Amino acid sequence: MKFLLLILSIISPVAMAKQMEGFDANYYRDDLSVSNYDTNKSLVPDVIIGDTVFVMAFSKLADITETTGVAVIQGDQASWLCLASNNVNYWFISDNEMGQGDLTSIAIAKAGRQKGCSSYHGDLSVTVKGIPLLSASLENVSSTFSNKPNGNIIQYCTDTKSYGDFTQMNCLQYYLKNKKIIGLFISQVTSN
């Protein structure tokens, strides 16, 4: 059996590629029906793990590994590591296109302990100043943003910086079930 797996991995590395599972698999979702709104609010997260501050697009997943001892998982479309702390799962993700190992997305969910998430007992905090996240009610989100949330996936984005022909955006995507927030993604995207 091991020989067969070795042969398959040599012949077809794509077939053996790792992908995120559970809530974090929404990372691969490309759904055009997502309610998308522009906002002028800052959506830049404050990420603290242990006593270290991590900054999106500047901190590397390897830096988080150094702090937590949790290995980065390599996939074709993304690399990631997952930490479970206080009944919340945190996925720290780098896209394999522009991210090149830098922190470009964070997924957060209270979906029970997810496969592949390592327990982390130190301080772990992901916040966005003045913005409700996982524990917020839909009413709280509605009062924070000028658009009333509509649909099961709601995305708010804001332009953060411009570099010549490129614009950096930060986005916050809420996932709802029965009008309750079950998870969210915070991402930083560079586009032209």
Side-chain angles (χ1 to χ4, degrees), residues 17-19 61 72-76 78-80 96:
K18 290 283 277 175
Q19 284 205 351
L61 294 185
V72 173
I73 300 168
Q74 302 289 332
D76 279 347
S79 303
W80 69 94
N96 286 345

Side-chain angles (χ1 to χ4, degrees), residues 86-89 108-112 134-135 182-183:
N86 296 320
N87 298 318
V88 177
N89 300 298
I108 306 171
K110 280 187 178 183
L134 192 57
S135 61
I182 59 166

Side-chain angles (χ1 to χ4, degrees), residues 23-99:
F23 176 78
D24 56 324
N26 287 304
Y27 177 83
Y28 306 111
R29 183 183 209 146
D30 194 16
D31 190 345
L32 298 176
S33 68
V34 172
S35 298
N36 193 14
Y37 304 105
D38 290 329
T39 183
N40 59 0
K41 297 191 179 293
S42 174
L43 299 177
V44 177
D46 295 315
V47 180
I48 301 170
I49 304 172
D51 58 0
T52 306
V53 175
F54 296 94
V55 179
M56 290 189 80
F58 290 99
S59 297
K60 298 206 169 289
L61 294 185
D63 300 333
I64 298 173
T65 292
E66 191 174 302
T67 297
T68 64
V70 175
V72 173
I73 300 168
Q74 302 289 332
D76 279 347
Q77 295 175 307
S79 303
W80 69 94
L81 62 91
C82 182
L83 301 174
S85 176
N86 296 320
N87 298 318
V88 177
N89 300 298
Y90 299 86
W91 292 268
F92 300 95
I93 305 166
S94 178
D95 68 55
N96 286 345
E97 189 175 340
M98 300 273 296

Side-chain angles (χ1 to χ4, degrees), residues 110-130:
K110 280 187 178 183
R113 179 114 180 249
Q114 297 284 295
K115 180 180 177 185
C117 287
S118 298
S119 290
Y120 184 73
H121 300 291
D123 292 332
L124 197 159
S125 169
V126 177
T127 59
V128 178
K129 188 176 181 177

